[in-house]
Amino acid sequence: MDALAPALSVRDVTKTFHTPEGGQIHALDSVSIDIADGSFMVLLGPSGCGKTTLLRCIAGLESPDSGRIDLRGQRIDDMPVWRRRVNTVFQSYALFPHMTVAQNIAFGLQMDKVPGAIIKRKVGESLDMVHLSGLGSRKPSQLSGGQQQRVALARALAKEPEVLLLDEPLSALDLKLRRGMQSELKRLQRETSITFVLVTHDQDEAMAMGDQVAVFNAGQIVQVGEPREVYLRPCSRFVADFIGEANVLTGALDTYGLVIASVGFVPRDRLIADTEADLGQVHVAVRPENVSLQIDPVGSATITDVSYVGGDMRVEAIAAAAGTAANAAVNIVSRVPSQGVKPPRIGDRVSVSFAEGSLTVVAD
Ligand code: ADP
Ligand code: MG
């Protein structure tokens, strides 16, 4: 195996479904992604954007119309499911209800004709790994939802796959259990060095878990990067809006800076340093924590709302230069730690400024 080959390489994979009404759904539209060996990749996107379809194509439960998929340099998209060293954990856990926990975990190994003594050891090890030692003789119905989830994980890990696919594995758990399982999954991935590909529609989960996050929209991967990179430098309005809260503003860019109608002039150094964009009309995204609203009797904006989110104060303002049409008004959101800050009041006039290197040009 080439040491530099990605664990998983997906090239131009397309999948179209035909609906009974005679319509077509382009579930995957020329999707390409490389997933590094031993990494934790999160596929993030709204419901219906094609995430499950991509996992199913990788697992072999669905075959792509075109494109190819390689696992450690070997083509797998034409291989039967059982020959792919890929395992999947489904949202529904899919445990066998009539088997004990240990039998559930052993089942796949028995199918692979692994000798009994080795199965016994692997079942023990994988139960240890998910902290369920001692519960091997229970039936799934005698376990909590969180414990059943762990059994599903233990079963998948026992087969020592090269890639573990996880389709919204935590969405049935309540928030507190979910947080716990998020760090648990991170630990398991680090300890096993198995490449994990986890699907979620929850951006906080993606940010908390991924070494890399791939953002999906309507059958396409629109951006791949480290969570921080995707958060601070979204490539498009869609990514900016989907991940956290963003101000997306329109302005005229020249070599000195940006003029945003109703807001004012923004010096060039407020843009991320190596931003390359054609001069002229651009859209920029800026996170609320990089927006400052200062009380200013001649400021361009007026406070419209003040609220508290966690330890932060979230302030909304509307900027509307005198004499401009109402539809030229711009809404701006700012978020600052609330401690020691004198809260503004609705109706206060403020000037708007941005942190250095905080605006990024985005596609519309
Ligand atoms: P996600 O997992 O991101 O929510 P899916 O991959 O399940 O999205 O689905 C992508 C699109 O393909 C959706 O519009 C869905 O309705 C459609 N789809 C998925 N599977 C089938 C199928 N077997 N037949 C028809 N349409 C399907
Ligand atoms: Mg899905």
Side-chain angles (χ1 to χ4, degrees), residues 258-281:
L258 186 65
V259 176
I260 301 175
S262 300
V263 174
F265 176 70
V266 180
R268 184 87 197 206
D269 70 350
R270 306 292 104 174
L271 267 67
I272 287 181
D274 56 345
T275 299
E276 282 185 32
D278 291 334
L279 303 184
Q281 181 178 295

Side-chain angles (χ1 to χ4, degrees), residues 24-87:
Q24 288 190 339
I25 296 169
H26 300 289
L28 296 175
D29 180 6
S30 194
V31 167
S32 296
I33 188 171
D34 283 335
I35 300 178
D37 204 4
S39 70
F40 200 130
M41 170 64 79
V42 175
L43 307 179
L44 171 68
S47 176
C49 68
K51 305 178 300 292
T52 294
T53 305
L54 180 59
L55 284 200
R56 289 173 60 82
C57 287
I58 296 169
L61 303 167
E62 206 77 75
S63 55
D65 300 332
S66 59
R68 66 179 282 166
I69 303 173
D70 291 81
L71 179 63
R72 289 189 164 164
Q74 189 183 18
R75 185 161 189 175
I76 60 163
D77 53 89
D78 46 6
M79 253 183 209
V81 178
W82 55 271
R83 280 198 53 211
R84 305 184 189 200
R85 300 214 46 196
V86 170
N87 254 338

Side-chain angles (χ1 to χ4, degrees), residues 173-207:
L173 306 180
D174 64 48
L175 190 64
K176 196 153 172 245
L177 259 181
R178 238 162 102 167
R179 289 274 145 75
M181 274 310 281
Q182 287 173 3
S183 24
E184 195 77 340
L185 280 173
K186 288 289 286 175
R187 175 186 65 81
L188 284 169
Q189 194 277 324
R190 274 196 310 272
E191 285 178 4
T192 58
S193 298
I194 293 171
T195 306
F196 277 33
V197 183
L198 179 138
V199 159
T200 183
H201 63 267
D202 177 338
Q203 50 109 2
D204 288 330
E205 187 159 291
M207 292 289 148

Side-chain angles (χ1 to χ4, degrees), residues 210-263:
D211 294 329
Q212 296 265 307
V213 174
V215 185
F216 257 79
N217 186 27
Q220 299 184 321
I221 292 180
V222 292
Q223 188 167 6
V224 185
E226 290 172 16
R228 192 185 140 74
E229 197 180 314
V230 174
Y231 180 77
L232 290 175
R233 299 196 80 161
C235 66
S236 66
R237 183 189 289 269
F238 170 82
V239 177
D241 284 335
F242 191 69
I243 296 179
E245 190 169 25
N247 295 283
V248 179
L249 307 167
T250 304
L253 182 67
D254 65 26
T255 48
Y256 302 104
L258 186 65
V259 176
I260 301 175
S262 300
V263 174

